[in-house]
Amino acid sequence: MSLLDTPEVPDAPLADDDFRTCPVTTWKVDPRAELLIKTNAVTAVALLTVGGIAALLMALTRWPAFALLSPEWFYRLTTLHGIDMLVAWIVFFEVAGLYLGASVILSSRLVAPKIAWAAYGLMLGGGGLANVIVLLGKADVMFTAYQPLEADPLFYLGVILFAVGALVAIGVFFATLVVAKAEKSYEGSLPLVVYGLMVAAIIGVYALLAGAIAFLPSFFQSVGWMETYDPAFYRNLFWGFGHSAQQINLAAMVAIWYALGQITLGSTPVNEKLSRFAFVCYLLFINLGSAHHLLVDPGPSFSWKLFNTSYFMYLAVLGSLIHAFSIPASLEVAQRRRGFTSGLLGWLRRAPWGEPGFAALVVSMFIFGWGGGVTGVVLGTEQLNMLAHNTLRVPGHFHLTVVAGTTTAFMGFAYYLVPLIFRRELKLKGWAKWQPYLYGGGTAIMAIGMIASGIQGVSRRSVEAAESIPGTVNLSLTVVGIGGILAVIGGIMFVAIMLVSILTGERREATSLTLLVHPTPIPAAALDEHPLARGTWALVMAFLTFFVLFYAANWWLLGRTWGVG
C-alpha cells in the first residue's frame, strides 16, 4: 500500500453526496474538513508573514552596518518572532495537516467539526491576544518568558488559550482516527504519512500540556493570586513545552518528507516497518532532548543530565538516522526503476530539481540533517554544551532545524494543497521553481553566521555583544544579516505564490500530483533492475564522516578552553 493511497474498501460508508472525490488521489473529501484545512493553512501563512517581518528587522539589527532597532524593540520583536515562528505558524499548519491526514487521506468524515472550529477560535484568539500584548510593549520577555521576568496577564492568558485550542484540535484528530477505523474507512495499518502525523500529535499532547502547566502559575502570579514562582521549576516545565514543541515539528516534517517523495517520484519506503520503528523512537525518546536546556541548572543531578543527554537521547538519534537512509534510498530506488541507472549518482542528477516539492524535500533534508541534526547532537552532549550554551550557536542550530528544515518542508507541501484542497491553479510557477532554494539557502547562510558568531562568544540574547568582542565577529554577524535577507525574500516569494494562486488562480480540479515537472513513465523492463540504493550508501557514509569530524572538532575546541601545562 502506498503512503498516500486510500485503501479500497467497497463497503465503507463514504458514498454520501456530501463528499467529493478527488480525481487524482481518489480521496473522499469531507467538505467540512476541507474548509478547516483551508482556514488553518491560510492563518498559518498569515502568521508566517508577521513573523517574517519581525525576522527582517531583527536581521538588520544583528547586521552591525545597520544596527536598525533599539534594544527595546529588538527584544520585543524577538518575543513576537519566537511566538509566531516557533509556535503559531507551525502549529496552525500542523493542525491543517492533522485534519488532512485523519479525514481526507483516510476518506473519513471529520468528527465534531463544531469543536474543531472552537479549537481554531481558541488558537486564533489566544495567538492574536499574545501578539497584540507584545506589540503594545507589555511582554518584553522573549520566547522563553523566564521567571522572574514579568508580562501582562493577558500575554500568559493568550498563550494558555492557544495551547488549549491546539489540544482540542489534536483531540478532534484522534477522534477522527477512531471513527475512521470503526467505520472501516481504511483497512490494515494507517498509511505511513498518517502514522507519522499521529506520532507528532501524541508528542503534541505532552508538549502542550507542559506549556499550559508552565504558564498557568505565571498567569496566577501576574494577577496577584500567587506571591512567588520558583524560576527553576518554571524552566523545567517550560522546556517540556519549548523543546518538545519542536519535536512535534520533527515528526510532522519527516511524515511530509515521505509524502513529498511519493508525490514527486512515486517513491515508497524500502522497509516500512523500519520507518515506523523510527517514529516510535521519536515517541519514546525525543522529548528527552529537552534536557540540554537545563545542563547548567543546579537542580537536576549529574546522572539525570548524563542519561538524558546521552544514552536515552541517542535512541532518538537512531530514529533520525533510519529516516536519513530510508527516504533517500526510496528516492534512489524510484529513480533507478524509472531507468536512471547510470553511475553511482546518476539517479540524483536526473531528479526533478525544478519541481518545488522535490526541491523542498532535498533542501529540507540536507540542511536539517547535515546542519541541524549534527549541531543538535553537539548541543545535547553535556560537556560540549558548555561551549555553546546561551551563545548564538543555539539559535543557529534551531534555524537549521525548525526554519531551514521544517518550514521549507511545510512550504513544499503547501504547494500541493493549492490544486488538491483549494482546487486552484498554481500561479507564479517560475517563482515556485526557485523559492525553496532561496529560502532554505538563505536560512542556512544565516545559521552558519550565527554558529560562527557563537563560537567567538556572541551571546544568544544580547544585541550589543559585537561591540565588546574582538576579531571577525562583525564579519560573521554580517553573514547573519545577508542570509536573513535572502531567507526573507524567499519567504515573501512563498507568501506571494500562495496568495496569488488562492485569490486569482483558475478554479479547477487537480489533474496531476506534480506541478511543474512530470516524472518520466516507468519503463516496464527496468522495474526489477538496480534495486539496491548504492548511491544512498555513499551519501550516508559521507554524512557520517562529516558527523564524526564535526563532533571531534568540538571536543578539540573544548580542550582548547583550558591552558593545562
Side-chain angles (χ1 to χ4, degrees), residues 122-202:
L122 285 171
M123 292 171 62
L124 183 64
L129 180 61
N131 271 255
V132 170
I133 296 302
V134 169
L135 289 174
L136 290 176
K138 297 181 179 181
D140 296 338
V141 292
M142 313 286 278
F143 168 69
T144 50
Y146 282 148
Q147 290 288 326
L149 295 175
E150 295 182 3
D152 188 278
L154 293 177
F155 170 78
Y156 300 116
L157 179 62
V159 174
I160 293 167
L161 289 175
F162 183 91
V164 171
L167 280 169
V168 173
I170 291 174
V172 173
F173 166 76
F174 284 126
T176 303
L177 288 184
V178 171
V179 168
K181 184 68 174 179
E183 295 182 352
K184 298 182 179 180
S185 296
Y186 71 96
E187 289 182 338
S189 301
L190 287 173
L192 184 59
V193 171
V194 184
Y195 185 86
L197 292 173
M198 180 186 69
V199 169
I202 294 172

Coordinates of all heavy atoms in Angstrom, one line a residue, residues 122-202:
L122 N -10.1 29.4 19.7 CA -9.2 29.5 20.8 C -7.7 29.8 20.4 O -7.1 30.6 21.0 CB -9.2 28.2 21.7 CG -10.5 28.0 22.5 CD1 -10.5 26.6 23.1 CD2 -10.6 29.0 23.6
M123 N -7.3 29.1 19.4 CA -5.9 29.3 18.9 C -5.8 30.7 18.3 O -4.8 31.4 18.6 CB -5.6 28.2 17.8 CG -5.4 26.8 18.4 SD -5.3 25.6 17.1 CE -3.7 26.1 16.3
L124 N -6.7 31.1 17.5 CA -6.6 32.4 16.8 C -6.7 33.5 17.9 O -6.0 34.5 17.9 CB -7.7 32.5 15.8 CG -7.7 33.9 15.0 CD1 -6.5 34.0 14.2 CD2 -9.0 34.0 14.1
G125 N -7.7 33.4 18.8 CA -7.9 34.4 19.8 C -6.7 34.5 20.8 O -6.2 35.5 21.1
G126 N -6.2 33.3 21.2 CA -5.0 33.3 22.1 C -3.8 33.8 21.4 O -3.1 34.6 22.0
G127 N -3.5 33.3 20.2 CA -2.3 33.8 19.5 C -2.4 35.3 19.2 O -1.4 36.0 19.3
G128 N -3.6 35.7 18.7 CA -3.8 37.2 18.4 C -3.6 38.0 19.7 O -3.0 39.1 19.6
L129 N -4.1 37.6 20.8 CA -4.0 38.3 22.0 C -2.6 38.5 22.5 O -2.1 39.6 22.8 CB -4.8 37.6 23.1 CG -4.8 38.3 24.5 CD1 -5.4 39.7 24.5 CD2 -5.6 37.4 25.5
A130 N -1.8 37.4 22.4 CA -0.4 37.4 22.7 C 0.4 38.4 21.8 O 1.2 39.1 22.3 CB 0.2 36.0 22.7
N131 N 0.1 38.4 20.5 CA 0.7 39.3 19.6 C 0.5 40.7 19.9 O 1.4 41.5 19.9 CB 0.2 39.0 18.1 CG 1.1 37.9 17.4 OD1 1.9 38.2 16.6 ND2 0.9 36.7 17.8
V132 N -0.8 41.0 20.2 CA -1.2 42.4 20.5 C -0.5 42.9 21.8 O 0.1 44.0 21.8 CB -2.7 42.6 20.6 CG1 -3.1 43.9 21.2 CG2 -3.4 42.3 19.3
I133 N -0.5 42.1 22.8 CA 0.2 42.5 24.1 C 1.7 42.7 23.9 O 2.3 43.6 24.4 CB -0.1 41.4 25.1 CG1 -1.6 41.3 25.4 CG2 0.7 41.7 26.4 CD1 -2.2 42.6 25.9
V134 N 2.3 41.9 23.1 CA 3.7 42.0 22.8 C 4.0 43.3 22.1 O 4.9 44.1 22.4 CB 4.3 40.8 22.0 CG1 5.7 41.1 21.5 CG2 4.3 39.6 22.8
L135 N 3.2 43.6 21.0 CA 3.4 44.8 20.3 C 3.1 46.1 21.1 O 3.7 47.2 20.8 CB 2.6 44.8 19.0 CG 3.0 43.8 17.9 CD1 2.0 43.8 16.8 CD2 4.4 44.2 17.4
L136 N 2.3 46.0 22.1 CA 2.0 47.1 23.0 C 3.1 47.3 24.0 O 3.0 48.3 24.8 CB 0.7 46.9 23.7 CG -0.6 47.0 22.8 CD1 -1.8 46.7 23.6 CD2 -0.7 48.4 22.2
G137 N 4.1 46.5 24.0 CA 5.2 46.6 24.9 C 5.0 46.2 26.3 O 5.6 46.6 27.3
K138 N 4.0 45.2 26.5 CA 3.7 44.8 27.8 C 4.1 43.3 28.1 O 3.7 42.7 29.0 CB 2.1 44.8 28.0 CG 1.6 46.2 27.9 CD 0.1 46.2 28.1 CE -0.5 47.7 28.1 NZ -2.0 47.7 28.3
A139 N 5.0 42.8 27.2 CA 5.5 41.5 27.4 C 6.9 41.3 26.7 O 7.1 40.4 25.9 CB 4.5 40.5 26.8
D140 N 7.8 42.1 27.1 CA 9.2 42.0 26.5 C 10.0 41.0 27.3 O 10.9 41.2 28.0 CB 9.9 43.4 26.6 CG 9.2 44.4 25.8 OD1 8.5 44.1 24.8 OD2 9.4 45.6 26.0
V141 N 9.5 39.7 27.1 CA 10.1 38.6 28.0 C 10.7 37.5 27.1 O 11.1 36.5 27.6 CB 9.0 38.0 28.8 CG1 8.5 39.0 29.9 CG2 7.8 37.5 28.0
M142 N 10.9 37.8 25.8 CA 11.4 36.8 24.9 C 10.5 35.6 24.8 O 9.5 35.5 25.5 CB 12.8 36.4 25.3 CG 13.8 37.6 25.6 SD 14.3 38.5 24.2 CE 15.6 37.5 23.6
F143 N 10.9 34.7 23.9 CA 10.0 33.5 23.7 C 10.0 32.6 25.0 O 8.9 32.1 25.3 CB 10.7 32.6 22.5 CG 10.1 31.3 22.4 CD1 8.8 31.1 22.0 CD2 10.9 30.1 22.7 CE1 8.3 29.8 21.8 CE2 10.4 28.9 22.6 CZ 9.0 28.7 22.1
T144 N 11.1 32.6 25.7 CA 11.1 31.7 26.9 C 10.4 32.3 28.1 O 9.9 31.5 28.9 CB 12.6 31.5 27.3 OG1 13.3 32.8 27.4 CG2 13.3 30.6 26.3
A145 N 10.2 33.6 28.2 CA 9.4 34.2 29.2 C 9.9 33.7 30.6 O 9.1 33.5 31.5 CB 7.9 34.0 29.1
Y146 N 11.2 33.7 30.8 CA 11.8 33.1 32.0 C 11.3 33.9 33.3 O 11.3 35.2 33.2 CB 13.3 33.1 32.0 CG 13.9 32.0 31.2 CD1 15.1 32.2 30.5 CD2 13.4 30.8 31.1 CE1 15.8 31.2 29.8 CE2 14.0 29.8 30.4 CZ 15.2 30.0 29.7 OH 15.7 29.0 29.0
Q147 N 11.0 33.2 34.3 CA 10.8 33.9 35.6 C 12.2 34.3 36.1 O 13.2 33.7 35.8 CB 10.3 32.9 36.6 CG 8.8 32.5 36.3 CD 7.9 33.7 36.6 OE1 8.1 34.4 37.6 NE2 6.8 33.8 35.9
P148 N 12.3 35.5 36.8 CA 11.3 36.3 37.3 C 10.8 37.5 36.3 O 10.3 38.5 36.8 CB 11.9 36.9 38.6 CG 13.3 37.0 38.2 CD 13.7 35.9 37.3
L149 N 11.1 37.4 35.0 CA 10.6 38.4 34.1 C 9.1 38.4 34.2 O 8.5 37.3 34.3 CB 11.1 38.1 32.7 CG 12.6 38.2 32.4 CD1 12.9 37.7 31.0 CD2 13.1 39.6 32.6
E150 N 8.5 39.5 34.0 CA 7.0 39.6 34.2 C 6.4 40.2 32.9 O 7.0 41.0 32.2 CB 6.7 40.5 35.3 CG 7.1 40.0 36.7 CD 6.7 40.9 37.8 OE1 6.0 41.9 37.6 OE2 7.0 40.6 39.0
A151 N 5.3 39.7 32.6 CA 4.5 40.2 31.4 C 3.1 40.5 31.9 O 2.6 40.1 33.0 CB 4.5 39.2 30.3
D152 N 2.3 41.2 31.0 CA 0.9 41.4 31.3 C 0.2 40.1 31.4 O 0.4 39.2 30.7 CB 0.4 42.3 30.2 CG -1.0 42.8 30.5 OD1 -2.0 42.0 30.3 OD2 -1.2 44.0 30.9
P153 N -0.8 40.1 32.3 CA -1.6 38.8 32.4 C -2.2 38.3 31.1 O -2.3 37.1 30.9 CB -2.7 39.2 33.5 CG -2.1 40.3 34.2 CD -1.2 41.1 33.3
L154 N -2.6 39.3 30.3 CA -3.2 38.9 29.0 C -2.2 38.1 28.1 O -2.7 37.3 27.3 CB -3.8 40.1 28.3 CG -4.9 40.8 29.0 CD1 -5.4 42.0 28.2 CD2 -6.1 39.8 29.2
F155 N -1.0 38.4 28.2 CA 0.0 37.6 27.5 C 0.0 36.1 27.8 O -0.1 35.3 27.0 CB 1.4 38.2 27.7 CG 2.5 37.3 27.1 CD1 2.8 37.4 25.7 CD2 3.3 36.5 27.9 CE1 3.8 36.6 25.2 CE2 4.3 35.7 27.4 CZ 4.5 35.7 26.0
Y156 N 0.1 35.9 29.1 CA 0.0 34.5 29.6 C -1.3 33.9 29.3 O -1.4 32.7 28.9 CB 0.2 34.4 31.1 CG 1.6 35.0 31.5 CD1 1.6 36.1 32.4 CD2 2.8 34.4 31.1 CE1 2.9 36.6 32.8 CE2 4.0 34.9 31.5 CZ 4.0 36.0 32.4 OH 5.2 36.5 32.7
L157 N -2.4 34.6 29.4 CA -3.7 34.1 29.0 C -3.8 33.7 27.6 O -4.3 32.7 27.2 CB -4.8 35.1 29.4 CG -6.2 34.7 29.0 CD1 -6.6 33.5 29.9 CD2 -7.2 35.9 29.3
G158 N -3.2 34.5 26.7 CA -3.2 34.2 25.3 C -2.4 33.0 25.0 O -2.9 32.1 24.2
V159 N -1.3 32.8 25.6 CA -0.5 31.5 25.4 C -1.3 30.3 25.8 O -1.3 29.3 25.2 CB 0.8 31.6 26.1 CG1 1.6 30.3 26.0 CG2 1.7 32.8 25.5
I160 N -2.0 30.5 27.0 CA -2.7 29.3 27.5 C -3.9 29.0 26.6 O -4.2 27.8 26.3 CB -3.2 29.7 29.0 CG1 -2.0 29.8 29.9 CG2 -4.2 28.6 29.5 CD1 -2.3 30.4 31.3
L161 N -4.6 30.0 26.2 CA -5.7 29.8 25.3 C -5.3 29.1 24.0 O -5.9 28.2 23.5 CB -6.4 31.1 24.9 CG -7.2 31.7 26.1 CD1 -7.8 33.1 25.6 CD2 -8.4 30.8 26.5
F162 N -4.2 29.5 23.4 CA -3.6 28.9 22.2 C -3.3 27.4 22.5 O -3.7 26.6 21.7 CB -2.4 29.6 21.8 CG -1.8 29.1 20.5 CD1 -2.2 29.6 19.3 CD2 -0.9 28.0 20.5 CE1 -1.7 29.1 18.1 CE2 -0.4 27.5 19.3 CZ -0.8 28.1 18.1
A163 N -2.7 27.1 23.6 CA -2.3 25.7 23.9 C -3.5 24.9 24.1 O -3.6 23.7 23.6 CB -1.4 25.7 25.2
V164 N -4.6 25.4 24.8 CA -5.8 24.6 25.0 C -6.5 24.4 23.6 O -7.0 23.3 23.3 CB -6.7 25.4 25.9 CG1 -8.1 24.7 26.0 CG2 -6.2 25.4 27.3
G165 N -6.5 25.4 22.8 CA -7.1 25.2 21.4 C -6.4 24.2 20.6 O -7.0 23.3 20.0
A166 N -5.1 24.2 20.7 CA -4.3 23.2 19.9 C -4.6 21.8 20.5 O -4.7 20.8 19.7 CB -2.8 23.5 20.0
L167 N -4.7 21.7 21.8 CA -5.0 20.4 22.4 C -6.4 19.9 22.0 O -6.6 18.7 21.7 CB -5.0 20.5 23.9 CG -3.6 20.4 24.6 CD1 -3.7 20.8 26.1 CD2 -3.0 19.0 24.4
V168 N -7.4 20.8 21.9 CA -8.7 20.4 21.4 C -8.6 19.9 20.0 O -9.3 18.9 19.6 CB -9.7 21.5 21.5 CG1 -11.0 21.2 20.9 CG2 -9.9 21.9 23.0
A169 N -7.9 20.6 19.1 CA -7.7 20.2 17.7 C -7.1 18.8 17.6 O -7.5 18.0 16.8 CB -6.9 21.2 17.0
I170 N -6.1 18.5 18.5 CA -5.5 17.2 18.5 C -6.5 16.2 18.9 O -6.5 15.0 18.4 CB -4.3 17.2 19.4 CG1 -3.1 18.0 18.8 CG2 -3.8 15.8 19.6 CD1 -1.9 18.2 19.7
G171 N -7.4 16.5 19.8 CA -8.4 15.6 20.2 C -9.4 15.3 19.1 O -9.8 14.1 18.9
V172 N -9.7 16.3 18.3 CA -10.5 16.0 17.1 C -9.8 15.1 16.1 O -10.4 14.2 15.6 CB -10.9 17.4 16.4 CG1 -11.6 17.1 15.1 CG2 -11.8 18.2 17.3
F173 N -8.5 15.3 16.0 CA -7.7 14.4 15.1 C -7.8 12.9 15.6 O -8.1 12.0 14.8 CB -6.3 14.8 15.1 CG -5.3 13.8 14.6 CD1 -5.2 13.6 13.2 CD2 -4.5 13.1 15.4 CE1 -4.3 12.7 12.7 CE2 -3.6 12.2 14.9 CZ -3.5 12.0 13.5
F174 N -7.6 12.7 16.9 CA -7.7 11.3 17.4 C -9.1 10.7 17.3 O -9.2 9.6 17.0 CB -7.2 11.3 18.9 CG -5.7 11.4 19.1 CD1 -5.2 12.4 19.9 CD2 -4.8 10.6 18.4 CE1 -3.8 12.5 20.0 CE2 -3.5 10.7 18.5 CZ -2.9 11.7 19.4
A175 N -10.1 11.5 17.6 CA -11.4 11.1 17.5 C -11.8 10.7 16.0 O -12.4 9.6 15.8 CB -12.4 12.1 17.9
T176 N -11.3 11.4 15.1 CA -11.5 11.1 13.6 C -10.8 9.8 13.3 O -11.3 9.0 12.5 CB -11.0 12.3 12.8 OG1 -11.7 13.5 13.1 CG2 -11.3 12.0 11.3
L177 N -9.6 9.6 13.8 CA -8.9 8.3 13.6 C -9.7 7.1 14.1 O -9.8 6.1 13.4 CB -7.5 8.3 14.2 CG -6.4 9.2 13.6 CD1 -5.1 8.9 14.4 CD2 -6.2 8.9 12.2
V178 N -10.3 7.3 15.3 CA -11.1 6.2 15.9 C -12.3 5.9 15.0 O -12.6 4.8 14.7 CB -11.5 6.6 17.3 CG1 -12.5 5.5 17.9 CG2 -10.2 6.6 18.2
V179 N -13.0 7.0 14.6 CA -14.2 6.8 13.8 C -13.8 6.2 12.4 O -14.6 5.4 11.9 CB -14.9 8.2 13.6 CG1 -16.0 8.1 12.6 CG2 -15.5 8.6 15.0
A180 N -12.7 6.7 11.8 CA -12.3 6.1 10.5 C -12.1 4.6 10.6 O -12.5 3.9 9.7 CB -11.1 6.8 10.1
K181 N -11.5 4.2 11.7 CA -11.3 2.7 11.9 C -12.6 2.0 12.1 O -12.8 0.9 11.5 CB -10.3 2.5 13.1 CG -9.9 1.1 13.3 CD -9.1 0.5 12.2 CE -8.6 -0.9 12.4 NZ -7.7 -1.4 11.3
A182 N -13.4 2.6 13.0 CA -14.7 1.9 13.3 C -15.6 1.8 12.1 O -16.3 0.9 11.9 CB -15.4 2.7 14.4
E183 N -15.6 2.9 11.2 CA -16.4 2.9 10.0 C -15.8 2.2 8.8 O -16.3 2.3 7.7 CB -16.9 4.3 9.7 CG -17.8 4.9 10.8 CD -18.2 6.3 10.5 OE1 -17.7 6.9 9.5 OE2 -19.1 6.8 11.2
K184 N -14.6 1.6 9.0 CA -13.9 0.9 8.0 C -13.6 1.8 6.8 O -13.7 1.4 5.7 CB -14.7 -0.3 7.6 CG -14.9 -1.3 8.7 CD -15.6 -2.6 8.2 CE -15.7 -3.6 9.3 NZ -16.5 -4.8 8.9
S185 N -13.1 3.0 7.1 CA -12.7 3.9 6.0 C -11.4 3.4 5.4 O -11.0 3.8 4.3 CB -12.5 5.3 6.5 OG -13.8 5.9 7.0
Y186 N -10.7 2.6 6.2 CA -9.4 2.0 5.7 C -9.2 0.7 6.4 O -9.9 0.4 7.4 CB -8.2 2.9 6.0 CG -7.8 3.0 7.5 CD1 -6.8 2.2 8.0 CD2 -8.5 3.9 8.3 CE1 -6.5 2.3 9.3 CE2 -8.2 3.9 9.7 CZ -7.2 3.1 10.2 OH -6.8 3.2 11.5
E187 N -8.4 -0.2 5.8 CA -8.1 -1.5 6.3 C -6.6 -1.6 6.7 O -5.8 -0.9 6.0 CB -8.5 -2.6 5.3 CG -10.0 -2.7 5.2 CD -10.4 -3.9 4.2 OE1 -9.5 -4.2 3.4 OE2 -11.5 -4.4 4.3
G188 N -6.3 -2.4 7.6 CA -4.9 -2.6 8.0 C -4.4 -1.5 8.8 O -5.1 -0.8 9.5
S189 N -3.1 -1.3 8.6 CA -2.4 -0.2 9.3 C -2.6 1.1 8.7 O -3.0 1.2 7.5 CB -0.9 -0.5 9.3 OG -0.6 -1.7 9.9
L190 N -2.4 2.2 9.5 CA -2.5 3.5 9.0 C -1.5 3.7 7.9 O -0.3 3.2 8.0 CB -2.3 4.5 10.1 CG -3.4 4.7 11.1 CD1 -2.8 5.6 12.3 CD2 -4.6 5.3 10.5
P191 N -1.8 4.5 6.8 CA -0.7 4.9 5.9 C 0.4 5.6 6.7 O 0.2 6.2 7.7 CB -1.4 5.9 5.0 CG -2.9 5.5 5.1 CD -3.1 5.0 6.5
L192 N 1.6 5.4 6.2 CA 2.8 5.9 6.9 C 2.8 7.4 7.2 O 3.2 7.8 8.3 CB 4.1 5.5 6.2 CG 5.4 5.9 6.9 CD1 5.5 5.1 8.2 CD2 6.6 5.5 6.0
V193 N 2.3 8.2 6.3 CA 2.2 9.6 6.5 C 1.3 9.9 7.7 O 1.6 10.7 8.5 CB 1.7 10.3 5.2 CG1 1.4 11.8 5.5 CG2 2.7 10.2 4.1
V194 N 0.1 9.3 7.7 CA -0.8 9.5 8.8 C -0.2 8.9 10.1 O -0.4 9.5 11.2 CB -2.2 8.8 8.5 CG1 -3.2 9.1 9.6 CG2 -2.7 9.3 7.2
Y195 N 0.5 7.8 10.0 CA 1.2 7.3 11.2 C 2.1 8.3 11.8 O 2.2 8.5 13.0 CB 1.9 6.0 10.8 CG 2.5 5.2 12.0 CD1 1.8 4.3 12.7 CD2 3.8 5.4 12.3 CE1 2.3 3.6 13.8 CE2 4.4 4.7 13.3 CZ 3.7 3.8 14.1 OH 4.2 3.1 15.1
G196 N 2.9 8.9 10.9 CA 3.9 9.9 11.4 C 3.2 11.1 12.0 O 3.6 11.7 13.0
L197 N 2.0 11.5 11.4 CA 1.3 12.6 12.0 C 0.7 12.3 13.3 O 0.6 13.1 14.3 CB 0.2 13.0 11.0 CG 0.6 13.7 9.7 CD1 -0.6 13.9 8.8 CD2 1.3 15.0 10.0
M198 N 0.3 11.0 13.5 CA -0.2 10.5 14.8 C 0.9 10.6 15.9 O 0.6 11.1 17.0 CB -0.7 9.1 14.7 CG -1.3 8.5 16.0 SD -1.8 6.8 15.8 CE -0.1 6.0 15.7
V199 N 2.1 10.2 15.5 CA 3.2 10.3 16.5 C 3.4 11.8 16.9 O 3.6 12.1 18.0 CB 4.5 9.7 15.9 CG1 5.7 10.1 16.7 CG2 4.3 8.2 15.8
A200 N 3.4 12.7 15.9 CA 3.5 14.1 16.1 C 2.4 14.6 17.1 O 2.7 15.4 18.0 CB 3.5 14.9 14.8
A201 N 1.2 14.1 16.9 CA 0.1 14.5 17.7 C 0.3 14.0 19.2 O -0.1 14.7 20.1 CB -1.2 14.0 17.2
I202 N 0.8 12.8 19.3 CA 1.0 12.3 20.7 C 2.0 13.1 21.4 O 1.9 13.5 22.6 CB 1.4 10.8 20.6 CG1 0.2 10.0 20.1 CG2 1.8 10.3 22.0 CD1 0.6 8.5 19.8

